[in-house]
Structures are given as structure tokens and as C-alpha cells.
Amino acid sequence: MKDIIRLCFSLGAVCFCGAAALVYVNAKTLVPRQQAQQATLTKSLSLVLPAETSDTKTLAVAAEDGLSFFLACDAAGRPLAVAGQGSTRTGFGGEVVVLVGLERDGRIRGVMVTKHSETPGLGTKATDRKQLKSLWAVLAGKDEEVAFPPNDYLDAYSGRPAGEFVLGGGSSEQRIDGVSGATISSKAVLAAVNRVCDAYNKNHDAIWAAQ
Amino acid sequence: MSAAKEFLKGLWKENPVLVLMLGMCPTLAVSSSAKNALGMGVATTFVLLGSNVVISLVRKGIPAKVRIPCYIVIIAVFVTIVEMLMAAYAPPELNATLGIFIPLIVVNCIVLGRAEAFASKNSPWLSFLDGLGMGVGFTLALMALGAVREFLGAGTIFELQLFPKWEPFLLMKFAPGAFFVLGFFLAGMNMLRIRRARLEGRTYTPPELNCSQCNLCDLGKR
């Protein structure tokens, strides 16, 4: 009996000290963790929104689960463009989150995937905007940083009016060709983009009226 | 002298991946690129250092019967700390790729193995060196595997392209590629050892797999 109490006490003491350490570290890193998350979002937004943007507002419109809209304003406070973030869970590795930049006339400025768990080398062909740098160019100091590297699949959306896109079908405005070998990832990106476009079209007036 | 030995043994003679064959799960999963391997190695080294030192400090206060749960709690605390620190300070891209592997360090056999086989019997200073050596050895082995796999699978090393015209061998990026490359590494290790033994005029005998590195159970002592 005495032995059991001693064992419980030792294990309890270790757990208590561990929990105390975690409480301390959690409190200390809470603000930096939120800042890191915010910095990632700000950086992604700056890539799909126009360069003249001086202020980005998070809108309360259409804020349902996994959907959010951001309004970009210039220095005078006039709305310039809108960015919509949408997610789907139908990716090959689960959740796929896209950020879609939309022009004043409802055309898509650019699409980028901000979060995914797709297979490297296969699914990522439909999600990643990654610039391939040459080792020799870097060593020679000749490499140039491209802020928004091209991706044939994601760039296919740019310049088209926000509507319902169809993979490999529909009218010429709706048709998007998937990446061979990455069909599930292509479909997931398409579904997330469609979700944003649908919400944008439904809430069009409310989004642009939000000041 | 003995201090330097404790550190150096993890690099080559008792390398956790290539000799002790511990921690195969993260080794196969994360060595798909050199960058991921480096991130995982550094995170594991931090956990190993912390858990080894703390376990060595409290080794006399913990009753033998509950030592394993106590070690797991201590290791889990360090892993959670690493997870929070990475979310706060690591580059977002690295955090996104390694995110799902970090909690798995809790069950990485290297960490528990060193706690049980070394830190529970030695002073904090020696345990620190042991953890550092094992961690660096793990990181180097993982990075070597990662560099080879990334080069064969994508034609890049640390995401830098070596040759403009390279047809990637995608299989190397997946689990079978990990097994292939690891097999060739182990064969290379054996070749080097056989050659060294021959130079010294003795016959090479491979290390026996008799659980002597680990004393989680008493099978090895029978």
C-alpha cells in the first residue's frame, strides 16, 4: 500500500512539473505563434492582391466555416480588389486551402494554395508555386527571387470571370484542364476555388459595400 | 577522454540510424528531402538533449516500477515545447511540412532508448554529451539519406537544381526509395568496416542483434 502511494506520488510529481513547464512555454509563445500565423496570411494576401494595396480589411461577410474574405483598399481608402480564402477537405492528403484574388469586375487575379498535405512531386504539381533555382546560379550570385512563381495549372484560373469551373469540360470560360497524375489534387483546388467564387457571387454587393 | 568518447560514439560507432537501427519511422518518412531531414534532425536533437539531461537529473528519485511512464511524460513535454517553438519561430514552410512528424518524436525509439540505456545510469553531463552525439549522428545520417533521395527523386539538393536536364526518378521520393537508399547506405557501412578489419588483420564479425543496446525488457539478459 505504501509502495503504491509512493509510485503514484512520483508519477504525479513528474506530470505536475511537466504541465507547469508547458503552461509557461504556452503563455510565452502564444503571441509569437499568432504573429507567425498572421505574417503568413499577410504575405499570401500581398501576392494575390494589387501592389497599390495599402490596407487590407478582414470582412465579416460570408464568414462561414473555412471561408473568409479580405478587402484591399488603396491609400485613399477606395476598394481595389478582394481576396477570398476557401477550403475543402477533398484533397489527397486532406485539407486544401486556397486564396483567390478577385478584380473589381469579378475576374480572377490569381490563385494560390496556402495550405495542403498533397504528395510531394505528384499532387504538389497542382498546388505549389515553387521556383526551381539552379545551384550554379546561386553560387555565382545570379539567382533572382520571383515573388509569385508560375504554375500552369493555377495560372489557368487567372483572368477568367469568377464562376463555376469544370475540370476538363463545360464552356470555354469554365473549362480547366487538370494535371495528369494529380487528378485528386486538381479537383480539390477546383472545389475550393469554386466555393470562393460561389460565395463571392452570392455576396457580391455586401462584399464591395463593406467599408 | 571519456567525455569525448560519449559524444563521438553517436556519430559513427553507434550511429542510431545506421548501426543501432533505431528511429526507422521518422528516418523513412522525413528523409525525402535534405531540408526536411535537417529540420527533423534538429528537432529530435533538442528533444534528446532535454530529455537526457532531465532524466539523468531525476534518475535517483524515480522508482524503477514507474520509470517508463515518467520518461514518456518528460519526453512528451519536450516534444510539445518543440512543437510550440516551431510554430512560433520556424520558417512557416518548414513548419507546414514537418508539422505532422513532430508529435511522433514522442514515440521515436532513439529518445526512449537513450533515456533507458544511458541517461538513467549516467551523470547529467555525460547524458548531455550522449544526447548531443546521438542527435548529431541522427541528423547527419538523415541528411545524407535525404540529399541522395532528393537528388535522385527531384534532381535537387536543398531545393537547388544541379543539372538543368535531369529526368527525376520519382520513386526515390516515396517509401520504397527510402528503403533502397537505406539498404545501400548499410551495405556501404559494412563494406567500410570489412575493409578496415582486413587492414588490421582480423576478420569482420557483424554486431549481433541480441538486444544488448536496449534494456526495456530482460530478453537480452537471459
Side-chain angles (χ1 to χ4, degrees):
Chain A
M1 185 61 202
K2 211 175 166 188
D3 198 35
I4 288 177
I5 292 172
R6 201 171 66 95
L7 295 180
C8 292
F9 178 77
S10 311
L11 190 52
V14 169
C15 291
F16 182 80
C17 294
L22 285 184
V23 168
Y24 177 76
V25 176
N26 183 36
K28 278 277 167 194
T29 58
L30 191 64
V31 176
R33 270 186 290 153
Q34 282 167 348
Q35 279 170 348
Q37 235 173 9
Q38 191 60 43
T40 317
L41 179 66
T42 313
K43 195 180 160 225
S44 312
L45 280 174
S46 74
L47 292 176
V48 295
L49 290 173
E52 306 88 64
T53 306
S54 69
D55 185 30
T56 315
K57 287 181 205 141
T58 310
L59 303 181
V61 185
E64 52 180 292
D65 180 40
L67 257 184
S68 48
F69 281 94
F70 307 89
L71 185 70
C73 301
D74 64 4
R78 284 184 301 250
L80 283 171
V82 164
Q85 193 177 42
S87 72
T88 170
R89 296 197 182 277
T90 53
F92 197 72
E95 195 180 22
V96 171
V97 182
V98 300
L99 198 59
V100 183
L102 293 150
E103 302 271 17
R104 186 80 236 222
D105 61 359
R107 282 179 189 278
I108 291 180
R109 281 186 58 87
V111 174
M112 71 179 289
V113 177
T114 50
K115 191 178 164 192
H116 72 83
S117 319
E118 304 307 289
T119 317
L122 286 177
T124 50
K125 280 185 198 163
T127 56
D128 279 13
R129 287 185 180 274
K130 202 172 242 173
Q131 182 194 3
L132 199 57
K133 286 188 203 167
S134 161
L135 176 67
W136 317 117
V138 173
L139 288 180
K142 280 191 291 193
D143 69 307
E144 277 164 32
E145 197 74 37
V146 179
F148 201 59
N151 172 312
D152 287 344
Y153 173 70
L154 295 177
D155 288 340
Y157 292 96
S158 306
R160 300 203 190 190
E164 200 181 348
F165 294 102
V166 182
L167 204 65
S171 69
S172 61
E173 273 197 339
Q174 294 175 314
R175 186 188 168 108
I176 295 279
D177 286 317
V179 182
S180 63
T183 313
I184 294 175
S185 306
S186 310
K187 273 186 185 162
V189 172
L190 185 105
V193 173
N194 276 346
R195 216 180 141 197
V196 172
C197 293
D198 184 46
Y200 171 79
N201 289 332
K202 275 186 190 150
N203 301 290
H204 177 274
D205 296 335
I207 287 171
W208 287 105
Q211 288 293 326
Chain B
M1 179 55 213
S2 125
K5 218 173 79 191
E6 295 302 348
F7 172 68
L8 289 173
K9 70 170 196 257
L11 299 189
W12 181 258
K13 221 178 110 210
E14 288 183 29
N15 186 292
V17 176
L18 300 174
V19 180
L20 302 186
M21 304 297 284
L22 287 175
M24 284 296 114
C25 165
T27 303
L28 298 175
V30 192
S31 64
S32 60
S33 81
K35 201 171 155 195
N36 289 356
L38 179 66
M40 187 65 179
V42 171
T44 310
T45 306
F46 178 82
V47 173
L48 250 171
L49 276 180
S51 67
N52 255 16
V53 170
V54 170
I55 286 167
S56 173
L57 282 171
V58 299
R59 70 186 190 277
K60 282 171 189 153
I62 291 177
K65 278 181 188 163
V66 290
R67 67 183 196 286
I68 302 282
C70 287
Y71 296 166
I72 290 286
V73 169
I74 292 169
I75 293 166
V77 166
F78 276 103
V79 171
T80 316
I81 290 175
V82 167
E83 209 182 352
M84 290 197 270
L85 289 180
M86 280 198 54
Y89 303 111
E93 202 184 309
L94 186 71
N95 194 30
T97 12
L98 282 183
I100 50 169
F101 297 114
I102 296 295
L104 288 177
I105 301 177
V106 177
V107 285
N108 187 329
C109 1
I110 298 172
V111 186
L112 186 61
R114 294 326 289 173
E116 178 64 13
F118 197 91
S120 60
K121 294 169 196 146
N122 289 286
S123 68
W125 170 235
L126 288 182
S127 303
F128 175 84
L129 289 172
D130 176 78
L132 190 66
M134 286 289 161
V136 172
F138 179 69
T139 311
L140 290 179
L142 227 64
M143 255 170 65
L145 274 168
V148 171
R149 284 181 64 192
E150 194 186 336
F151 175 66
L152 295 174
T156 59
I157 285 180
F158 279 102
E159 291 174 3
L160 296 174
Q161 199 177 32
L162 261 78
F163 308 110
K165 293 234 180 254
W166 174 270
E167 198 57 50
F169 183 22
L170 205 55
L171 182 76
M172 284 300 168
K173 278 244 170 191
F174 299 115
F179 282 107
F180 285 142
V181 178
L182 184 66
F184 277 108
F185 266 60
L186 296 177
M189 286 281 283
N190 278 346
M191 216 172 80
L192 283 176
R193 289 166 148 197
I194 291 170
R195 188 167 293 173
R196 181 181 282 180
R198 205 175 281 156
L199 282 177
E200 288 169 2
R202 44 190 182 85
T203 323
Y204 173 69
T205 42
E208 278 176 51
L209 291 174
N210 62 354
C211 318
S212 66
Q213 300 297 347
C214 153
N215 51 0
L216 288 181
C217 68
D218 52 5
L219 271 180
K221 279 152 212 133
R222 267 181 214 155

